[in-house]
Amino acid sequence: MIVETLSAIADLPIVRDIVGTDSKPLANRRVVITGASSGIGAAAAIQIAEAGGTPILVARSLDKLTEVKETIEAAGGTAFVYSCDVTDAESVTNLVATLVAEHESIDMLVNNAGRSIRRSLALSHDRFHDFERTMALNYFGAVRLIMELLPHMRQHGFGHIVNISSIGVQTNTPRFAAYVASKSALDAFSRVAASEVHGDGVTFTTIHMPLVRTPMIAPTSMYDAFPTLSPDEAGEMVLRALVKRPKEIGTPIGTLGELTYTLVPGVVDRILNKAYDVFPDSHAAQGVTPISDEAGKPSSRTKAIAKASIALTDQPLSRGAKRMVRLLPGIHW
């Protein structure tokens, strides 16, 4: 009876906060991670498990989630996988009901699932769906999951929510109007929500993530020449957000961009307009596709030509562009 009582006390959120160890700072924490099948989400999940936490992996594809789960378990950790489309209200409601039923508590949430669109406004007049689909996933999907989990976290007296935002919110990078707007909306929601639930033990961290080499940036071939973080380095930022729980994590370049725009917004507009001129739209954004054969499928020769064309001519970087990339690393140009 005494042992059971002590065990129950040790698992209380406030006790776990005080007791944690340096080697396992997330011991007994159950952490939901969306977009956990690859990239930042998968890397963060592995690091969370190494820190003693139990990652709860969420994405649409169970196959890829299972691979991440097996990697974690092979290293001696524990993980769970759940399929969910966070843009679908019923899917999110069912997910949270299942999580609450199957786990003693859900302590933390990492809103990592996201969609990026790099396209100038000049090419977007007939593509309003670009703005709708980025908002559907990056903003409404994240908010829907937060709202479903908040009552549970408030009831338990503890919760920490990490939102993966973007350095673009701080630097207002051209060609990212749809993406930056969706991330800015989530930032604003989190600032307001944090003030309302602070007394209930629920806190928020916003990570203004710089450019990371993930499948999401692959369509923009010029990023091959850009300095980027690796998924593991980005995962370390997520881990720090969960362990230290600061209000914000970012980079010096992002902070500089935010401060400069506050002080001299007109100057920043002129500089970014120059950047807009030197960093072109990608072939994908322009709607350029390989020529298909009579059956509607690109031939091998067409594929080879298209691949070479992209490698040689898609988004060629001028000297000015290369200097800007080196001077301001991490920004999504």
Side-chain angles (χ1 to χ4, degrees):
M1 180 65 179
I2 295 176
V3 173
E4 292 175 354
T5 301
L6 290 175
S7 178
I9 293 174
D11 200 42
L12 288 172
I14 190 171
V15 175
R16 281 182 277 166
D17 264 355
I18 297 170
V19 172
T21 64
D22 290 338
S23 60
K24 299 292 182 182
L26 294 180
N28 300 314
R29 295 292 190 202
R30 301 164 187 87
V31 186
V32 175
I33 313 166
T34 64
S37 57
S38 65
I40 298 171
I46 292 169
Q47 294 182 34
I48 288 166
E50 291 172 350
T54 300
I56 297 173
L57 316 176
V58 176
R60 289 179 299 178
S61 172
L62 278 178
D63 292 343
K64 293 182 179 180
L65 286 179
T66 300
E67 292 177 9
V68 179
K69 178 177 183 288
E70 290 173 350
T71 299
I72 291 171
E73 292 177 340
T78 301
F80 298 88
V81 299
Y82 297 89
S83 175
C84 176
D85 178 358
V86 297
T87 66
D88 180 80
E90 184 178 357
S91 183
V92 173
T93 297
N94 292 338
L95 169 69
V96 173
T98 302
L99 293 179
V100 171
E102 295 184 358
H103 300 276
E104 182 178 344
S105 66
I106 301 300
D107 304 301
M108 295 173 162
L109 166 65
V110 179
N111 278 311
N112 169 69
R115 177 192 297 275
S116 176
I117 293 179
R118 181 184 182 273
R119 181 175 283 112
S120 62
L121 295 179
L123 298 177
S124 302
H125 293 293
D126 60 346
R127 296 184 60 91
F128 194 75
H129 60 278
D130 283 352
F131 299 88
E132 293 175 318
R133 60 181 178 165
T134 49
M135 288 296 288
L137 179 56
N138 299 353
Y139 178 64
F140 289 117
V143 170
R144 184 175 287 117
L145 193 48
I146 291 171
M147 293 298 290
E148 290 280 356
L149 276 172
L150 268 180
H152 171 80
M153 289 180 169
R154 297 173 88 170
Q155 180 182 354
H156 282 262
F158 177 84
H160 187 62
I161 297 165
V162 176
N163 292 322
I164 308 299
S165 186
S166 169
I167 192 174
V169 173
Q170 300 170 298
T171 57
N172 310 298
T173 321
R175 290 188 169 83
F176 285 94
Y179 177 65
V180 168
S182 66
K183 291 297 187 180
S184 297
L186 183 59
D187 286 10
F189 169 88
S190 300
R191 289 194 297 270
V192 173
S195 67
E196 295 189 25
V197 300
H198 183 77
D200 300 315
V202 180
T203 52
F204 287 77
T205 294
T206 295
I207 300 179
H208 288 120
M209 191 69 73
L211 193 62
V212 182
R213 194 159 300 285
T214 67
M216 189 168 71
I217 72 168
T220 307
S221 61
M222 79 173 180
Y223 285 162
D224 293 344
F226 278 38
T228 64
L229 293 185
S230 69
D232 285 341
E233 290 172 322
E236 290 171 3
M237 295 176 73
V238 176
L239 185 65
R240 178 152 52 97
L242 294 169
V243 173
K244 302 296 184 181
R245 305 203 291 276
K247 283 290 295 181
E248 182 182 346
I249 293 177
T251 62
I253 292 296
T255 302
L256 176 63
E258 197 168 23
L259 178 62
T260 305
Y261 192 81
T262 299
L263 297 176
V264 284
V267 173
V268 173
D269 283 346
R270 289 195 291 274
I271 294 172
L272 292 180
N273 183 252
K274 294 296 183 183
Y276 174 75
D277 290 336
V278 301
F279 294 103
D281 280 288
S282 67
H283 281 174
Q286 296 175 48
V288 176
T289 56
I291 299 173
S292 300
D293 59 21
E294 294 180 358
K297 297 180 180 180
S299 64
S300 299
R301 181 173 178 275
T302 300
K303 290 179 180 178
I305 292 173
K307 186 175 182 180
S309 173
I310 290 173
L312 293 173
T313 65
D314 190 20
Q315 306 155 295
L317 295 182
S318 65
R319 289 184 179 179
K322 291 177 181 178
R323 284 196 294 268
M324 191 170 288
V325 166
R326 289 193 297 269
L327 181 64
L328 302 170
I331 296 179
H332 306 61
W333 293 111

PDB file of all heavy atoms in Angstrom, residues 270-295:
ATOM      1  N   ARG A 270      12.575  47.489 -48.724  1.00  0.00           N
ATOM      2  CA  ARG A 270      13.434  47.712 -49.888  1.00  0.00           C
ATOM      3  C   ARG A 270      14.472  46.605 -50.029  1.00  0.00           C
ATOM      4  O   ARG A 270      14.747  46.123 -51.140  1.00  0.00           O
ATOM      5  CB  ARG A 270      14.123  49.077 -49.786  1.00  0.00           C
ATOM      6  CG  ARG A 270      13.167  50.252 -49.982  1.00  0.00           C
ATOM      7  CD  ARG A 270      13.935  51.538 -50.246  1.00  0.00           C
ATOM      8  NE  ARG A 270      14.661  51.993 -49.063  1.00  0.00           N
ATOM      9  CZ  ARG A 270      14.135  52.756 -48.108  1.00  0.00           C
ATOM     10  NH1 ARG A 270      12.863  53.136 -48.172  1.00  0.00           N
ATOM     11  NH2 ARG A 270      14.869  53.152 -47.088  1.00  0.00           N
ATOM     12  N   ILE A 271      15.033  46.184 -48.910  1.00  0.00           N
ATOM     13  CA  ILE A 271      16.030  45.101 -48.949  1.00  0.00           C
ATOM     14  C   ILE A 271      15.393  43.797 -49.412  1.00  0.00           C
ATOM     15  O   ILE A 271      15.938  43.080 -50.271  1.00  0.00           O
ATOM     16  CB  ILE A 271      16.678  44.917 -47.562  1.00  0.00           C
ATOM     17  CG1 ILE A 271      17.503  46.148 -47.187  1.00  0.00           C
ATOM     18  CG2 ILE A 271      17.543  43.661 -47.533  1.00  0.00           C
ATOM     19  CD1 ILE A 271      18.013  46.136 -45.760  1.00  0.00           C
ATOM     20  N   LEU A 272      14.216  43.487 -48.858  1.00  0.00           N
ATOM     21  CA  LEU A 272      13.546  42.240 -49.223  1.00  0.00           C
ATOM     22  C   LEU A 272      13.060  42.268 -50.673  1.00  0.00           C
ATOM     23  O   LEU A 272      12.967  41.222 -51.325  1.00  0.00           O
ATOM     24  CB  LEU A 272      12.377  41.972 -48.277  1.00  0.00           C
ATOM     25  CG  LEU A 272      12.766  41.643 -46.831  1.00  0.00           C
ATOM     26  CD1 LEU A 272      11.512  41.391 -45.983  1.00  0.00           C
ATOM     27  CD2 LEU A 272      13.682  40.423 -46.765  1.00  0.00           C
ATOM     28  N   ASN A 273      12.753  43.455 -51.188  1.00  0.00           N
ATOM     29  CA  ASN A 273      12.375  43.553 -52.595  1.00  0.00           C
ATOM     30  C   ASN A 273      13.554  43.197 -53.495  1.00  0.00           C
ATOM     31  O   ASN A 273      13.376  42.558 -54.544  1.00  0.00           O
ATOM     32  CB  ASN A 273      11.872  44.957 -52.913  1.00  0.00           C
ATOM     33  CG  ASN A 273      11.406  45.076 -54.346  1.00  0.00           C
ATOM     34  OD1 ASN A 273      12.067  45.704 -55.178  1.00  0.00           O
ATOM     35  ND2 ASN A 273      10.267  44.465 -54.663  1.00  0.00           N
ATOM     36  N   LYS A 274      14.763  43.581 -53.072  1.00  0.00           N
ATOM     37  CA  LYS A 274      15.963  43.183 -53.818  1.00  0.00           C
ATOM     38  C   LYS A 274      16.138  41.664 -53.761  1.00  0.00           C
ATOM     39  O   LYS A 274      16.507  41.033 -54.748  1.00  0.00           O
ATOM     40  CB  LYS A 274      17.202  43.880 -53.247  1.00  0.00           C
ATOM     41  CG  LYS A 274      17.211  45.392 -53.421  1.00  0.00           C
ATOM     42  CD  LYS A 274      17.242  45.783 -54.881  1.00  0.00           C
ATOM     43  CE  LYS A 274      17.316  47.294 -55.044  1.00  0.00           C
ATOM     44  NZ  LYS A 274      17.268  47.698 -56.466  1.00  0.00           N
ATOM     45  N   ALA A 275      15.869  41.092 -52.586  1.00  0.00           N
ATOM     46  CA  ALA A 275      15.957  39.638 -52.450  1.00  0.00           C
ATOM     47  C   ALA A 275      14.928  38.953 -53.340  1.00  0.00           C
ATOM     48  O   ALA A 275      15.204  37.905 -53.939  1.00  0.00           O
ATOM     49  CB  ALA A 275      15.745  39.233 -50.990  1.00  0.00           C
ATOM     50  N   TYR A 276      13.754  39.541 -53.435  1.00  0.00           N
ATOM     51  CA  TYR A 276      12.706  39.019 -54.305  1.00  0.00           C
ATOM     52  C   TYR A 276      13.184  38.961 -55.759  1.00  0.00           C
ATOM     53  O   TYR A 276      12.874  38.023 -56.490  1.00  0.00           O
ATOM     54  CB  TYR A 276      11.462  39.899 -54.189  1.00  0.00           C
ATOM     55  CG  TYR A 276      10.345  39.556 -55.135  1.00  0.00           C
ATOM     56  CD1 TYR A 276       9.549  38.431 -54.916  1.00  0.00           C
ATOM     57  CD2 TYR A 276      10.071  40.351 -56.244  1.00  0.00           C
ATOM     58  CE1 TYR A 276       8.516  38.113 -55.785  1.00  0.00           C
ATOM     59  CE2 TYR A 276       9.043  40.041 -57.110  1.00  0.00           C
ATOM     60  CZ  TYR A 276       8.269  38.922 -56.875  1.00  0.00           C
ATOM     61  OH  TYR A 276       7.249  38.607 -57.739  1.00  0.00           O
ATOM     62  N   ASP A 277      13.977  39.948 -56.155  1.00  0.00           N
ATOM     63  CA  ASP A 277      14.486  39.993 -57.522  1.00  0.00           C
ATOM     64  C   ASP A 277      15.577  38.951 -57.784  1.00  0.00           C
ATOM     65  O   ASP A 277      15.664  38.411 -58.890  1.00  0.00           O
ATOM     66  CB  ASP A 277      15.042  41.385 -57.838  1.00  0.00           C
ATOM     67  CG  ASP A 277      13.941  42.438 -57.939  1.00  0.00           C
ATOM     68  OD1 ASP A 277      12.786  42.063 -58.211  1.00  0.00           O
ATOM     69  OD2 ASP A 277      14.243  43.633 -57.724  1.00  0.00           O
ATOM     70  N   VAL A 278      16.417  38.672 -56.778  1.00  0.00           N
ATOM     71  CA  VAL A 278      17.567  37.792 -57.023  1.00  0.00           C
ATOM     72  C   VAL A 278      17.270  36.313 -56.757  1.00  0.00           C
ATOM     73  O   VAL A 278      18.026  35.452 -57.201  1.00  0.00           O
ATOM     74  CB  VAL A 278      18.800  38.219 -56.191  1.00  0.00           C
ATOM     75  CG1 VAL A 278      19.201  39.635 -56.528  1.00  0.00           C
ATOM     76  CG2 VAL A 278      18.558  38.064 -54.704  1.00  0.00           C
ATOM     77  N   PHE A 279      16.177  36.011 -56.044  1.00  0.00           N
ATOM     78  CA  PHE A 279      15.803  34.612 -55.812  1.00  0.00           C
ATOM     79  C   PHE A 279      14.531  34.306 -56.607  1.00  0.00           C
ATOM     80  O   PHE A 279      13.441  34.709 -56.207  1.00  0.00           O
ATOM     81  CB  PHE A 279      15.562  34.337 -54.325  1.00  0.00           C
ATOM     82  CG  PHE A 279      16.791  34.458 -53.472  1.00  0.00           C
ATOM     83  CD1 PHE A 279      16.988  35.578 -52.676  1.00  0.00           C
ATOM     84  CD2 PHE A 279      17.749  33.459 -53.466  1.00  0.00           C
ATOM     85  CE1 PHE A 279      18.116  35.695 -51.888  1.00  0.00           C
ATOM     86  CE2 PHE A 279      18.894  33.574 -52.677  1.00  0.00           C
ATOM     87  CZ  PHE A 279      19.075  34.693 -51.893  1.00  0.00           C
ATOM     88  N   PRO A 280      14.635  33.601 -57.738  1.00  0.00           N
ATOM     89  CA  PRO A 280      13.481  33.399 -58.619  1.00  0.00           C
ATOM     90  C   PRO A 280      12.501  32.357 -58.105  1.00  0.00           C
ATOM     91  O   PRO A 280      12.815  31.573 -57.202  1.00  0.00           O
ATOM     92  CB  PRO A 280      14.128  32.923 -59.925  1.00  0.00           C
ATOM     93  CG  PRO A 280      15.362  32.207 -59.461  1.00  0.00           C
ATOM     94  CD  PRO A 280      15.856  32.990 -58.271  1.00  0.00           C
ATOM     95  N   ASP A 281      11.301  32.341 -58.697  1.00  0.00           N
ATOM     96  CA  ASP A 281      10.350  31.259 -58.439  1.00  0.00           C
ATOM     97  C   ASP A 281      10.899  29.958 -59.010  1.00  0.00           C
ATOM     98  O   ASP A 281      11.594  29.953 -60.035  1.00  0.00           O
ATOM     99  CB  ASP A 281       8.998  31.559 -59.091  1.00  0.00           C
ATOM    100  CG  ASP A 281       8.154  32.515 -58.275  1.00  0.00           C
ATOM    101  OD1 ASP A 281       7.651  32.092 -57.228  1.00  0.00           O
ATOM    102  OD2 ASP A 281       8.002  33.680 -58.692  1.00  0.00           O
ATOM    103  N   SER A 282      10.581  28.857 -58.353  1.00  0.00           N
ATOM    104  CA  SER A 282      11.025  27.545 -58.837  1.00  0.00           C
ATOM    105  C   SER A 282      10.211  27.133 -60.051  1.00  0.00           C
ATOM    106  O   SER A 282       9.160  27.702 -60.355  1.00  0.00           O
ATOM    107  CB  SER A 282      10.858  26.496 -57.733  1.00  0.00           C
ATOM    108  OG  SER A 282       9.479  26.292 -57.472  1.00  0.00           O
ATOM    109  N   HIS A 283      10.709  26.120 -60.770  1.00  0.00           N
ATOM    110  CA  HIS A 283       9.948  25.580 -61.886  1.00  0.00           C
ATOM    111  C   HIS A 283       8.594  25.053 -61.420  1.00  0.00           C
ATOM    112  O   HIS A 283       7.583  25.211 -62.105  1.00  0.00           O
ATOM    113  CB  HIS A 283      10.746  24.453 -62.557  1.00  0.00           C
ATOM    114  CG  HIS A 283      11.804  24.971 -63.470  1.00  0.00           C
ATOM    115  ND1 HIS A 283      12.721  24.149 -64.091  1.00  0.00           N
ATOM    116  CD2 HIS A 283      12.111  26.239 -63.879  1.00  0.00           C
ATOM    117  CE1 HIS A 283      13.532  24.875 -64.835  1.00  0.00           C
ATOM    118  NE2 HIS A 283      13.182  26.140 -64.724  1.00  0.00           N
ATOM    119  N   ALA A 284       8.579  24.429 -60.234  1.00  0.00           N
ATOM    120  CA  ALA A 284       7.317  23.887 -59.715  1.00  0.00           C
ATOM    121  C   ALA A 284       6.310  24.999 -59.466  1.00  0.00           C
ATOM    122  O   ALA A 284       5.126  24.870 -59.782  1.00  0.00           O
ATOM    123  CB  ALA A 284       7.581  23.107 -58.419  1.00  0.00           C
ATOM    124  N   ALA A 285       6.787  26.120 -58.911  1.00  0.00           N
ATOM    125  CA  ALA A 285       5.891  27.241 -58.647  1.00  0.00           C
ATOM    126  C   ALA A 285       5.376  27.856 -59.942  1.00  0.00           C
ATOM    127  O   ALA A 285       4.259  28.364 -60.002  1.00  0.00           O
ATOM    128  CB  ALA A 285       6.618  28.304 -57.818  1.00  0.00           C
ATOM    129  N   GLN A 286       6.205  27.788 -60.984  1.00  0.00           N
ATOM    130  CA  GLN A 286       5.806  28.334 -62.272  1.00  0.00           C
ATOM    131  C   GLN A 286       4.916  27.386 -63.065  1.00  0.00           C
ATOM    132  O   GLN A 286       4.399  27.762 -64.124  1.00  0.00           O
ATOM    133  CB  GLN A 286       7.049  28.655 -63.108  1.00  0.00           C
ATOM    134  CG  GLN A 286       7.937  29.737 -62.501  1.00  0.00           C
ATOM    135  CD  GLN A 286       9.218  29.931 -63.291  1.00  0.00           C
ATOM    136  OE1 GLN A 286       9.211  30.045 -64.507  1.00  0.00           O
ATOM    137  NE2 GLN A 286      10.343  29.922 -62.594  1.00  0.00           N
ATOM    138  N   GLY A 287       4.746  26.151 -62.556  1.00  0.00           N
ATOM    139  CA  GLY A 287       3.908  25.197 -63.253  1.00  0.00           C
ATOM    140  C   GLY A 287       4.593  24.523 -64.414  1.00  0.00           C
ATOM    141  O   GLY A 287       3.934  23.976 -65.311  1.00  0.00           O
ATOM    142  N   VAL A 288       5.941  24.542 -64.449  1.00  0.00           N
ATOM    143  CA  VAL A 288       6.689  23.894 -65.519  1.00  0.00           C
ATOM    144  C   VAL A 288       6.773  22.405 -65.236  1.00  0.00           C
ATOM    145  O   VAL A 288       7.242  21.997 -64.177  1.00  0.00           O
ATOM    146  CB  VAL A 288       8.111  24.484 -65.639  1.00  0.00           C
ATOM    147  CG1 VAL A 288       8.914  23.746 -66.695  1.00  0.00           C
ATOM    148  CG2 VAL A 288       8.027  25.961 -65.955  1.00  0.00           C
ATOM    149  N   THR A 289       6.315  21.577 -66.155  1.00  0.00           N
ATOM    150  CA  THR A 289       6.347  20.124 -65.993  1.00  0.00           C
ATOM    151  C   THR A 289       6.966  19.482 -67.219  1.00  0.00           C
ATOM    152  O   THR A 289       6.912  20.028 -68.321  1.00  0.00           O
ATOM    153  CB  THR A 289       4.931  19.551 -65.802  1.00  0.00           C
ATOM    154  OG1 THR A 289       4.124  19.954 -66.910  1.00  0.00           O
ATOM    155  CG2 THR A 289       4.301  20.077 -64.528  1.00  0.00           C
ATOM    156  N   PRO A 290       7.563  18.290 -67.081  1.00  0.00           N
ATOM    157  CA  PRO A 290       8.154  17.596 -68.218  1.00  0.00           C
ATOM    158  C   PRO A 290       7.108  17.237 -69.264  1.00  0.00           C
ATOM    159  O   PRO A 290       5.939  17.010 -68.945  1.00  0.00           O
ATOM    160  CB  PRO A 290       8.751  16.325 -67.587  1.00  0.00           C
ATOM    161  CG  PRO A 290       8.880  16.633 -66.141  1.00  0.00           C
ATOM    162  CD  PRO A 290       7.769  17.572 -65.824  1.00  0.00           C
ATOM    163  N   ILE A 291       7.511  17.197 -70.522  1.00  0.00           N
ATOM    164  CA  ILE A 291       6.608  16.804 -71.603  1.00  0.00           C
ATOM    165  C   ILE A 291       6.342  15.306 -71.528  1.00  0.00           C
ATOM    166  O   ILE A 291       7.264  14.504 -71.385  1.00  0.00           O
ATOM    167  CB  ILE A 291       7.218  17.160 -72.972  1.00  0.00           C
ATOM    168  CG1 ILE A 291       7.442  18.677 -73.058  1.00  0.00           C
ATOM    169  CG2 ILE A 291       6.327  16.693 -74.106  1.00  0.00           C
ATOM    170  CD1 ILE A 291       8.183  19.114 -74.298  1.00  0.00           C
ATOM    171  N   SER A 292       5.071  14.907 -71.639  1.00  0.00           N
ATOM    172  CA  SER A 292       4.699  13.498 -71.521  1.00  0.00           C
ATOM    173  C   SER A 292       4.606  12.852 -72.888  1.00  0.00           C
ATOM    174  O   SER A 292       4.446  13.515 -73.915  1.00  0.00           O
ATOM    175  CB  SER A 292       3.353  13.370 -70.798  1.00  0.00           C
ATOM    176  OG  SER A 292       3.431  13.927 -69.511  1.00  0.00           O
ATOM    177  N   ASP A 293       4.699  11.529 -72.926  1.00  0.00           N
ATOM    178  CA  ASP A 293       4.522  10.798 -74.176  1.00  0.00           C
ATOM    179  C   ASP A 293       3.038  10.607 -74.455  1.00  0.00           C
ATOM    180  O   ASP A 293       2.184  11.133 -73.748  1.00  0.00           O
ATOM    181  CB  ASP A 293       5.262   9.446 -74.116  1.00  0.00           C
ATOM    182  CG  ASP A 293       4.761   8.566 -72.973  1.00  0.00           C
ATOM    183  OD1 ASP A 293       3.623   8.798 -72.507  1.00  0.00           O
ATOM    184  OD2 ASP A 293       5.495   7.655 -72.564  1.00  0.00           O
ATOM    185  N   GLU A 294       2.710   9.838 -75.484  1.00  0.00           N
ATOM    186  CA  GLU A 294       1.316   9.667 -75.878  1.00  0.00           C
ATOM    187  C   GLU A 294       0.486   8.993 -74.802  1.00  0.00           C
ATOM    188  O   GLU A 294      -0.724   9.190 -74.717  1.00  0.00           O
ATOM    189  CB  GLU A 294       1.238   8.856 -77.188  1.00  0.00           C
ATOM    190  CG  GLU A 294       1.842   9.599 -78.382  1.00  0.00           C
ATOM    191  CD  GLU A 294       1.751   8.768 -79.646  1.00  0.00           C
ATOM    192  OE1 GLU A 294       1.249   7.615 -79.553  1.00  0.00           O
ATOM    193  OE2 GLU A 294       2.172   9.242 -80.712  1.00  0.00           O
ATOM    194  N   ALA A 295       1.131   8.192 -73.973  1.00  0.00           N
ATOM    195  CA  ALA A 295       0.404   7.499 -72.907  1.00  0.00           C
ATOM    196  C   ALA A 295       0.229   8.371 -71.675  1.00  0.00           C
ATOM    197  O   ALA A 295      -0.363   7.958 -70.691  1.00  0.00           O
ATOM    198  CB  ALA A 295       1.146   6.207 -72.525  1.00  0.00           C
TER     199      ALA A 295
END
